[in-house]
Amino acid sequence: FLHTKQLLINDLEKYGGVIFLTSDMWEGINKRGYIAATAHYIDPLWVMHKKIIAFKIVEYPHNAQTIFNAIINIVKEYKCESKIRSFTFDNATVNKVVIDKLHRVLQPDFGGYLFHIRCVCHIFNLVVQDGLKHVKDEIDRIRSALIYITITPNRKQAFEEFCSENGMTNTKTFITDVGHRWNSTYLLLKSCEGFEHLITEFYNNRHVRDEEETILNETDWNIVLKIKHFLSTFYDSTNILSGVYYPTSCMVLERLYAIAKTFRRFQNDPDFHAVIYSMELKFRKYWEELPMLFPLACVMDPRFNLSGTKFVIDKISNSLTFSTPITYRNLEETLREMYELYASRMGTHITRVPTSTPPTNPTDDDDVILDLFESMNSYRFNSFAYACGSSGGSSSSLSSTACTQT
């Protein structure tokens, strides 16, 4: 281990490019605090690397100074202080103070406005959790029914026999969920598809309820199945943006566009008024001021380029009726600034291109645009999954702490 670690330290010390760090902190069941840090970079042969460079205990108190000391010591140990381009954290308040301290010490390029990247999937988690509060009772009743059915082998066998008696010969494994991971709740609801009536009848007829306990009913199923359909866009987006062996920053805008379009599609459903209001409020909080890194990465995607990126930003803004501060002009100026810095370091000859007028986009049809994005992402994601020897993403890849890289 120490030998391999030293080889990695030597490689990063000699590495001439930039490094993007992701980090997370949590408390284990032993009540000890842990921090992990991962370095993401592209080598001279254009191969993307993901290296876990730290997995350490962090002593209490877990305040900004303690976390800062842990991270800066990791960066110094790997001798990459001058190479850090951005840090991706979750959205804990203390992390903002940590970022400010790291900014002062590391002095990143471009004044540091590309330095702090909030974890996109963690934001999705916060947005969805705000919405799920409004259907908590309905989800709790379905969860209780599934727990009742699966809690013992005898009862599970009885349910399978009941299904067989009613023409359902296929056995069903229901998913259990974890409260703070909304995607597991989505999978729980999805696992019930086709068995709603059987679950209701088995549970209501056999479960001994308290006087205040409400039976499971058709209204519960109608609401939660619509919620499942609504959440499918968030689930797909989390799945796609949790990848680590392909670039994800260039996909963020299109996933935000898909989510914005989903909000608009469900906003007039009376069952969704409170859900949409809470989720859209939280969504605006984090995305009205769109981090410049994601449009810059999107520009590098040949499906978008500069004009396509601005077009998608406008579509997101129009769907949610807010105005993002990013304009075609400042996006172009930032790209020019980045290229000039690159050229000054790499010795590339700079050819100045006159400022252009944004070209007209060929279509304003939301469905055509979104279908194109979805088909491209489906091909890319499925090709990657096939190469890894599976037909889909691993559930472990859907952790709310998963972060985007460029």
Side-chain angles (χ1 to χ4, degrees), residues 32-201:
R32 301 296 299 272
Y34 296 89
I35 191 169
T38 305
H40 307 267
Y41 60 96
I42 300 173
D43 69 20
L45 297 177
W46 292 94
V47 176
M48 181 177 289
H49 294 271
K50 176 184 76 81
K51 305 289 186 182
I52 297 175
I53 60 175
F55 192 125
K56 297 185 175 182
I57 291 177
V58 179
E59 302 297 340
Y60 289 95
H62 293 161
N63 54 29
Q65 188 61 48
T66 302
I67 298 172
F68 165 77
N69 290 339
I71 292 174
I72 199 65
N73 288 337
I74 293 168
V75 171
K76 289 180 177 179
E77 182 180 16
Y78 282 83
K79 302 177 182 178
C80 55
E81 299 99 307
S82 62
K83 301 179 177 71
I84 304 301
R85 172 60 53 82
S86 79
F87 246 104
T88 301
F89 272 151
D90 65 20
N91 297 283
T93 303
V94 69
N95 287 342
K96 178 64 171 65
V97 181
V98 175
I99 285 291
D100 291 340
K101 290 176 176 288
L102 290 170
H103 183 280
R104 287 194 294 270
V105 173
L106 299 178
Q107 298 183 341
D109 296 328
F110 312 113
Y113 67 83
L114 299 178
F115 187 61
H116 181 201
I117 305 299
R118 289 186 174 94
C119 171
V120 174
C121 295
H122 186 255
I123 294 174
F124 289 168
N125 181 56
L126 297 177
V127 171
V128 173
Q129 293 289 5
D130 269 20
L132 289 181
K133 293 175 185 176
H134 298 283
V135 290
K136 179 179 182 299
D137 291 342
E138 291 83 356
I139 292 176
D140 281 349
R141 282 193 285 272
I142 291 173
R143 183 185 292 113
S144 296
L146 296 183
I147 291 174
Y148 174 81
I149 290 170
T150 60
I151 195 167
T152 66
N154 286 341
R155 198 172 292 162
K156 185 177 179 181
Q157 179 178 312
F159 178 73
E160 291 174 353
E161 292 171 353
F162 176 74
C163 291
S164 181
E165 292 169 2
N166 286 272
M168 278 287 204
T169 56
N170 294 332
T171 57
K172 184 70 175 180
T173 300
F174 297 113
I175 304 296
T176 56
D177 68 336
V178 181
H180 62 279
R181 295 188 184 275
W182 72 267
N183 45 358
S184 66
T185 303
Y186 168 83
L187 292 174
L188 177 147
L189 300 178
K190 188 175 175 63
S191 71
C192 296
E193 287 181 329
F195 286 78
E196 298 90 345
H197 175 70
L198 294 172
I199 293 170
T200 301
E201 187 174 343

Side-chain angles (χ1 to χ4, degrees), residues 242-289:
S242 293
V244 291
Y245 290 112
Y246 54 87
T248 54
S249 289
C250 58
M251 303 180 191
V252 171
L253 286 190
E254 63 190 78
R255 299 320 308 169
L256 296 183
Y257 175 53
I259 289 170
K261 193 167 184 294
T262 300
F263 280 140
R264 192 173 64 186
R265 185 184 304 127
F266 283 87
Q267 64 186 1
N268 295 323
D269 189 320
D271 291 331
F272 278 79
H273 286 164
V275 174
I276 292 289
Y277 179 79
S278 294
M279 292 178 68
E280 193 170 327
L281 202 64
K282 184 61 68 74
F283 191 85
R284 287 167 176 267
K285 173 184 176 181
Y286 288 104
W287 296 118
E288 195 159 4
E289 293 188 13

